[in-house]
Amino acid sequence: MRDVIIIGIGQTPVGEHWEKSLRHLAHDAIMAAMADARIEHADALYVGNMLSGELTGQEHLGALIADFVGLRGIEALKVEAACGSGAAAVRVGVMAVASGLHDVVIACGVEKMTDTSAAVTTSGLATAADQEYEVSQGISFVGLNALLMRRYMYEYGVRKEEFAGFTVNAHRNAAHNPYAMFQSPITAETYVKAGMIADPINLMDSSPVCDGAACVVLAPAELLGGRAKARVLASAVAIDCLAVHDRRDPLVLDAAVASTQKAYAQARVTPADISVFELHDAFSIMSALSLEAAGFAPRGQGARMATDGEIGIRGRVPISTMGGLKARGHPVGATGVYQIVEVVQQLMGQAGQNQVPGANIGMAQNIGGSGATVITHILAGV
Ligand code: COA
C-alpha cells in the first residue's frame, strides 16, 4: 500500500444557500481544493451525499458533479453512509490512492437541506435509522438521540446543564470560523433556556439543518510528496446495527470503539497523541459518547469533560475546534469532509484564533446514524 497525503482543501460557508444548487455548492468547494492542490485534472471524484434523492429528487451525483466541474470522462461515484457519507467518500478515495488504482483523487461532500419543509427534511434524516423497526413507530432522528440522552442522564446521574460546555465551546470556536453557520458565542444560560425539541434535547443540543460543501484532494506521497499539507496515518470504518434497541448496550458506541481502535493501530498512536479531535457532535449526547468510545473518558464520564480545561482550544482534548457540527453546521453528507479540512487547517497552523498550539496529529470521526457507521481518519502534519 502507498502512503496517502492531502494536497488540497476547499470549503464553502455553511448556511442557507438559497441562491446555489447542489452542483454549484460542490463546484465551489472542488474548485477551491483543486486550486489549493495546484491541479487541473484528477483520476477520480467521489461525492459524499446523503439526501439529494430524498430532498431534491436528484441522484447520480458522481456524473452530475464531475461533468459540471469539467472532469467529463473520469471515474466518478456517489458514496452514501447517512450522516457519515462525507468521510465515506474520503475513505474510498484513500483506498483508491493507497492501492495504486488512482493517483489524484478528489473527495467532495455536499448537502443541500434547506430547500424543503422541516417535515420533509426530518423524514429524510430519519432514513439514517431503521425504517422498519424504529421510524415506523413514529420516532424522528432527534427523538432517537433524545432517548439516548435521557438514558445517559438516568444511568450516570448527569444533569442536563452539565452538557452546556459542549455547546458553549462549539459556538465560541465557530465565532472565529468564517465558514461557520453561527458566528456568535453563547452562554451556559442561553443553553439552559433554549426551546425544547425532543426532551431532553433542546435547540442548543442540536446541530442545525443547513447547506454546504467541502473537498479534499488526495495523492500518493511517492508522487506528490512535495505538495503535502497533511499525511493520512489511518482510515478506518466499523459498523453496528442501525436500530438502537438492538445494540449490545445503547450507551456504548461499539462501532466507534472498533473504528477508533483500528485507526489507533494503523496510525500507531494512542489517545494521548491526539492534539485535535473533530468528533461528531450532531447532538451533545454524541459528544459525550464519542469521547468515551475513543478512550478519552471512562464510561459515564464523557459529559463531565464539557469544560474548557478538557475540550477547549487549550484543553486536554480540543474538540469542535472550528465550531463542530453544532455551530459550524452539519450539512449531513458534507460534514465528514469539513471535519478533515479543519484537521488539516489545524495541522498547518492555519486555524487562526482557534489554533491549537503545536497541533501535530489530528483525528476526525464521522458517524452515520446514531452510531451505526463510524469512520475515523487520523492525520499528521508534514
Ligand atoms: N442551534 C442554534 N440555533 C438554531 C439551530 C441550532 N441547531 N437551528 C436553528 N437555529 C436558529 C435559526 O438560526 C433561527 O434563528 P433566527 O430566528 O434568529 O433566524 C431559529 O433558530 C429558528 O430556525 P428554524 O430553521 O426555523 O429552526 P427549526 O425549529 O425549524 O429547526 C431544529 C430547528 C433543531 C429542529 C432543526 O435544526 C433540526 O431538525 N436539527 C437536527 C438535524 C439533524 O437531525 N441532523 C442529523 C443529525 S446526525
Side-chain angles (χ1 to χ4, degrees), residues 172-334:
R172 183 176 47 223
N173 295 341
H176 302 300
N177 175 6
Y179 296 98
M181 177 159 178
F182 297 118
Q183 301 272 343
S184 309
I186 67 141
T187 62
E189 195 186 358
T190 310
Y191 170 84
V192 172
K193 289 187 173 162
M196 198 55 79
I197 302 170
D199 196 0
I201 290 185
N202 71 20
L203 189 67
M204 289 297 158
D205 286 302
S206 174
S207 56
V209 164
C210 48
D211 312 324
C215 184
V216 296
V217 181
L218 303 161
E222 65 189 32
L223 283 187
L224 289 168
R227 295 191 198 180
K229 293 177 185 297
R231 293 179 293 132
V232 180
L233 297 187
S235 173
V237 186
I239 61 100
D240 200 345
C241 51
L242 264 65
V244 172
H245 65 258
D246 274 343
R247 301 264 163 88
R248 182 185 65 79
D249 178 342
L251 292 186
V252 180
L253 296 177
D254 278 341
V257 174
S259 174
T260 322
Q261 290 300 331
K262 285 192 218 183
Y264 287 151
Q266 280 175 32
R268 298 184 190 183
V269 300
T270 68
D273 298 311
I274 303 294
S275 342
V276 179
F277 180 23
E278 290 304 331
L279 49 65
H280 193 92
D281 56 335
F283 302 100
S284 37
I285 180 62
M286 291 310 271
S287 298
L289 294 177
S290 298
L291 285 165
E292 292 172 22
F296 294 110
R299 188 186 168 132
Q301 296 298 312
R304 301 207 157 97
M305 283 184 68
T307 63
D308 283 355
E310 292 281 25
I311 58 165
I313 291 294
R314 290 173 187 276
R316 181 170 66 93
V317 190
I319 66 168
S320 312
T321 65
M322 301 304 275
L325 283 61
K326 172 68 200 74
R328 173 245 294 125
H330 182 24
V332 283

Side-chain angles (χ1 to χ4, degrees), residues 24-360:
H24 287 100
L25 282 173
H27 166 275
D28 291 358
I30 292 170
M31 287 299 137
M34 288 179 77
D36 192 39
R38 291 181 281 128
I39 57 161
E40 290 180 354
H41 195 74
D43 302 316
L45 166 70
Y46 300 114
V47 179
N49 173 270
M50 174 183 175
L51 292 171
S52 69
E54 285 282 325
L55 302 190
T56 63
Q58 180 68 64
E59 285 289 7
H60 210 169
L61 295 191
L64 181 88
I65 291 169
D67 171 50
F68 194 62
V69 299
L71 294 173
R72 211 174 270 192
I74 70 164
E75 171 176 325
L77 299 168
K78 170 172 167 173
V79 184
E80 190 275 328
C83 312
S85 300
V90 177
R91 163 73 176 155
V92 173
V94 168
M95 289 194 291
V97 173
S99 65
L101 204 58
H102 291 304
D103 285 334
V104 177
V105 170
I106 299 172
C108 173
V110 59
E111 203 75 68
K112 190 136 186 32
M113 305 168 75
T114 65
D115 287 353
T116 38
S117 67
V120 171
T121 310
T122 299
S123 355
L125 288 165
T127 60
D130 190 317
Q131 288 293 318
E132 206 172 350
Y133 294 107
E134 293 179 314
V135 184
S136 65
Q137 307 301 318
I139 198 158
S140 67
F141 201 67
V142 184
L144 277 171
N145 282 273
L147 291 178
L148 287 176
M149 186 168 176
R150 170 71 67 207
R151 186 76 198 168
Y152 188 96
M153 291 163 66
Y154 169 79
E155 289 281 346
Y156 305 130
V158 176
R159 287 171 295 115
K160 168 146 178 74
E161 48 279 25
E162 291 183 72
F163 288 89
F166 290 124
T167 304
V168 171
N169 174 61
H171 277 261
R172 183 176 47 223
N173 295 341
H176 302 300
N177 175 6
Y179 296 98
M181 177 159 178
F182 297 118
Q183 301 272 343
S184 309
I186 67 141
T187 62
E189 195 186 358
T190 310
Y191 170 84
V192 172
K193 289 187 173 162
M196 198 55 79
I197 302 170
D199 196 0
I201 290 185
N202 71 20
L203 189 67
M204 289 297 158
D205 286 302
S206 174
S207 56
V209 164
C210 48
D211 312 324
C215 184
V216 296
V217 181
L218 303 161
E222 65 189 32
L223 283 187
L224 289 168
R227 295 191 198 180
K229 293 177 185 297
R231 293 179 293 132
V232 180
L233 297 187
S235 173
V237 186
I239 61 100
D240 200 345
C241 51
L242 264 65
V244 172
H245 65 258
D246 274 343
R247 301 264 163 88
R248 182 185 65 79
D249 178 342
L251 292 186
V252 180
L253 296 177
D254 278 341
V257 174
S259 174
T260 322
Q261 290 300 331
K262 285 192 218 183
Y264 287 151
Q266 280 175 32
R268 298 184 190 183
V269 300
T270 68
D273 298 311
I274 303 294
S275 342
V276 179
F277 180 23
E278 290 304 331
L279 49 65
H280 193 92
D281 56 335
F283 302 100
S284 37
I285 180 62
M286 291 310 271
S287 298
L289 294 177
S290 298
L291 285 165
E292 292 172 22
F296 294 110
R299 188 186 168 132
Q301 296 298 312
R304 301 207 157 97
M305 283 184 68
T307 63
D308 283 355
E310 292 281 25
I311 58 165
I313 291 294
R314 290 173 187 276
R316 181 170 66 93
V317 190
I319 66 168
S320 312
T321 65
M322 301 304 275
L325 283 61
K326 172 68 200 74
R328 173 245 294 125
H330 182 24
V332 283
T335 288
V337 188
Y338 274 99
Q339 292 176 309
I340 290 171
V341 165
E342 291 163 357
V343 168
V344 173
Q345 289 178 304
Q346 286 287 356
L347 297 175
M348 295 185 71
Q350 292 179 353
Q353 291 193 59
N354 295 337
Q355 183 63 48
V356 172
N360 59 354

